Coordinates of all heavy atoms in Angstrom, one line a residue:
Chain A
S4 N -22.3 -14.6 6.5 CA -22.1 -15.4 7.7 C -23.4 -15.9 8.3 O -23.4 -16.8 9.1 CB -21.3 -14.6 8.7 OG -22.1 -13.5 9.1
T5 N -24.5 -15.4 7.8 CA -25.8 -15.8 8.3 C -26.2 -17.0 7.6 O -25.4 -17.7 6.9 CB -26.8 -14.7 8.3 OG1 -26.8 -14.3 6.9 CG2 -26.4 -13.6 9.1
I6 N -27.5 -17.4 7.6 CA -27.9 -18.6 7.1 C -27.8 -18.8 5.6 O -27.8 -19.9 5.1 CB -29.4 -18.8 7.5 CG1 -30.2 -17.6 7.1 CG2 -29.6 -19.2 8.9 CD1 -31.7 -17.8 7.3
E7 N -27.6 -17.7 4.9 CA -27.4 -17.8 3.5 C -26.0 -18.1 3.1 O -25.5 -17.8 2.0 CB -27.9 -16.5 2.8 CG -29.3 -16.4 2.5 CD -30.1 -16.1 3.8 OE1 -29.4 -15.6 4.7 OE2 -31.3 -16.3 3.9
A8 N -25.2 -18.6 4.0 CA -23.8 -18.7 3.8 C -23.6 -19.6 2.5 O -24.4 -20.5 2.2 CB -23.1 -19.4 5.0
A9 N -22.5 -19.4 1.9 CA -22.1 -20.1 0.7 C -21.8 -21.6 1.1 O -21.6 -21.8 2.3 CB -20.9 -19.5 0.0
P10 N -21.7 -22.5 0.2 CA -21.3 -23.8 0.5 C -20.1 -23.9 1.4 O -19.1 -23.3 1.2 CB -21.0 -24.5 -0.8 CG -21.5 -23.5 -1.9 CD -21.9 -22.3 -1.2
S11 N -20.3 -24.7 2.5 CA -19.2 -24.7 3.5 C -17.9 -25.3 3.0 O -16.9 -25.1 3.7 CB -19.7 -25.4 4.7 OG -20.2 -26.7 4.3
A12 N -18.0 -25.9 1.9 CA -16.7 -26.6 1.4 C -15.7 -25.5 1.0 O -14.5 -25.8 1.1 CB -17.1 -27.5 0.2
S13 N -16.1 -24.4 0.4 CA -15.2 -23.4 -0.1 C -14.5 -22.7 1.1 O -15.2 -22.4 2.1 CB -15.9 -22.4 -0.9 OG -16.8 -21.6 -0.2
P14 N -13.2 -22.4 1.0 CA -12.5 -21.8 2.1 C -12.9 -20.4 2.4 O -13.1 -20.0 3.6 CB -11.0 -21.9 1.6 CG -11.1 -22.0 0.1 CD -12.4 -22.7 -0.2
I15 N -13.2 -19.6 1.4 CA -13.6 -18.2 1.6 C -15.1 -18.2 1.4 O -15.6 -18.7 0.4 CB -13.0 -17.3 0.6 CG1 -11.5 -17.5 0.5 CG2 -13.3 -15.8 0.9 CD1 -10.9 -17.1 -0.8
P16 N -15.9 -17.7 2.3 CA -17.3 -17.7 2.1 C -17.6 -16.8 1.0 O -17.2 -15.6 0.9 CB -17.9 -17.2 3.4 CG -16.7 -16.5 4.1 CD -15.5 -17.2 3.6
K17 N -18.4 -17.3 0.0 CA -18.7 -16.5 -1.2 C -20.0 -15.7 -0.9 O -20.8 -16.2 -0.2 CB -18.8 -17.4 -2.4 CG -17.5 -17.9 -2.9 CD -17.7 -18.6 -4.2 CE -16.4 -18.9 -4.9 NZ -16.6 -19.4 -6.2
R18 N -20.2 -14.6 -1.6 CA -21.4 -13.9 -1.4 C -22.3 -14.2 -2.5 O -21.9 -14.3 -3.7 CB -21.1 -12.4 -1.4 CG -20.3 -11.9 -0.2 CD -20.0 -10.4 -0.3 NE -21.3 -9.7 -0.3 CZ -21.4 -8.5 -0.8 NH1 -20.3 -7.9 -1.3 NH2 -22.5 -7.8 -0.8
P19 N -23.6 -14.4 -2.2 CA -24.6 -14.7 -3.2 C -24.6 -13.6 -4.3 O -24.5 -12.4 -4.0 CB -25.9 -14.8 -2.5 CG -25.5 -15.1 -1.1 CD -24.2 -14.4 -0.9
L20 N -24.9 -14.1 -5.5 CA -24.8 -13.1 -6.7 C -25.9 -12.0 -6.6 O -25.6 -10.9 -6.9 CB -25.0 -14.0 -7.9 CG -24.5 -13.3 -9.2 CD1 -23.1 -13.0 -9.1 CD2 -24.8 -14.3 -10.4
Y21 N -27.0 -12.4 -6.0 CA -28.1 -11.4 -6.0 C -27.7 -10.2 -5.1 O -28.1 -9.1 -5.4 CB -29.4 -12.0 -5.4 CG -30.5 -11.1 -5.3 CD1 -31.2 -10.7 -6.5 CD2 -31.0 -10.6 -4.1 CE1 -32.2 -9.8 -6.4 CE2 -32.0 -9.7 -4.0 CZ -32.7 -9.3 -5.2 OH -33.7 -8.4 -5.1
E22 N -26.8 -10.5 -4.2 CA -26.4 -9.4 -3.3 C -25.4 -8.4 -3.9 O -25.1 -7.4 -3.3 CB -25.8 -10.0 -2.0 CG -26.9 -10.6 -1.2 CD -26.4 -11.4 0.0 OE1 -25.2 -11.1 0.5 OE2 -27.1 -12.2 0.5
S23 N -25.0 -8.7 -5.1 CA -24.2 -7.8 -5.9 C -25.0 -6.8 -6.6 O -24.5 -5.8 -7.1 CB -23.3 -8.5 -6.9 OG -24.1 -9.0 -7.9
S24 N -26.3 -7.0 -6.7 CA -27.2 -6.1 -7.5 C -27.6 -4.8 -6.7 O -27.6 -4.8 -5.5 CB -28.5 -6.9 -7.9 OG -29.2 -7.1 -6.7
T25 N -27.8 -3.8 -7.5 CA -28.2 -2.5 -6.9 C -29.6 -2.7 -6.3 O -30.0 -2.0 -5.4 CB -28.2 -1.4 -7.9 OG1 -29.0 -1.9 -9.1 CG2 -26.8 -1.1 -8.3
Q26 N -30.4 -3.6 -6.9 CA -31.7 -3.9 -6.4 C -31.7 -4.3 -5.0 O -32.5 -3.9 -4.2 CB -32.3 -5.0 -7.3 CG -33.8 -5.2 -7.0 CD -34.4 -6.1 -8.1 OE1 -33.9 -6.2 -9.2 NE2 -35.5 -6.7 -7.8
F27 N -30.7 -5.2 -4.7 CA -30.5 -5.6 -3.3 C -30.0 -4.5 -2.4 O -30.5 -4.3 -1.3 CB -29.6 -6.8 -3.2 CG -29.2 -7.2 -1.9 CD1 -30.0 -8.0 -1.1 CD2 -28.0 -6.8 -1.3 CE1 -29.7 -8.4 0.2 CE2 -27.6 -7.2 0.0 CZ -28.5 -8.0 0.7
R28 N -29.1 -3.8 -2.9 CA -28.4 -2.8 -2.1 C -29.2 -1.6 -1.8 O -29.3 -1.0 -0.7 CB -27.0 -2.4 -2.7 CG -26.0 -3.5 -2.4 CD -24.6 -3.0 -2.9 NE -24.4 -3.4 -4.3 CZ -23.9 -2.6 -5.2 NH1 -23.5 -1.4 -4.9 NH2 -23.7 -3.0 -6.4
N29 N -29.9 -1.1 -2.9 CA -30.5 0.2 -2.8 C -32.0 0.2 -2.9 O -32.7 1.2 -2.6 CB -30.0 1.2 -3.9 CG -28.5 1.3 -3.8 OD1 -27.9 1.1 -2.7 ND2 -27.8 1.6 -4.9
W30 N -32.6 -0.9 -3.3 CA -34.1 -0.8 -3.6 C -34.8 -2.0 -2.8 O -35.7 -2.5 -3.3 CB -34.4 -0.9 -5.1 CG -33.7 0.2 -5.8 CD1 -32.6 0.1 -6.6 CD2 -34.1 1.6 -5.9 NE1 -32.3 1.4 -7.1 CE2 -33.2 2.3 -6.7 CE3 -35.2 2.3 -5.3 CZ2 -33.3 3.6 -6.9 CZ3 -35.3 3.6 -5.6 CH2 -34.4 4.3 -6.4
R31 N -34.3 -2.3 -1.6 CA -34.9 -3.3 -0.8 C -35.3 -2.7 0.5 O -34.5 -2.1 1.2 CB -33.9 -4.4 -0.6 CG -34.3 -5.6 0.2 CD -33.3 -6.7 0.1 NE -33.6 -7.8 1.0 CZ -33.0 -7.9 2.2 NH1 -32.1 -7.1 2.5 NH2 -33.3 -8.9 2.9
F32 N -36.6 -2.7 0.8 CA -37.1 -2.0 2.0 C -37.9 -3.0 2.8 O -38.4 -4.0 2.3 CB -37.9 -0.8 1.6 CG -37.2 0.1 0.7 CD1 -37.3 0.0 -0.7 CD2 -36.5 1.2 1.2 CE1 -36.7 0.9 -1.5 CE2 -35.8 2.1 0.4 CZ -35.9 1.9 -1.0
S33 N -38.2 -2.5 4.1 CA -39.2 -3.2 4.8 C -40.5 -2.5 4.6 O -40.4 -1.3 4.3 CB -38.8 -3.2 6.3 OG -38.9 -1.9 6.8

Side-chain angles (χ1 to χ4, degrees):
Chain A
S4 60
T5 55
I6 48 173
E7 277 78 16
S11 51
S13 68
I15 312 154
K17 290 186 164 189
R18 293 180 59 203
L20 200 55
Y21 180 71
E22 289 172 20
S23 71
S24 65
T25 51
Q26 188 166 339
F27 171 81
R28 279 185 273 137
N29 302 335
W30 302 103
R31 180 166 172 262
F32 304 92
S33 69

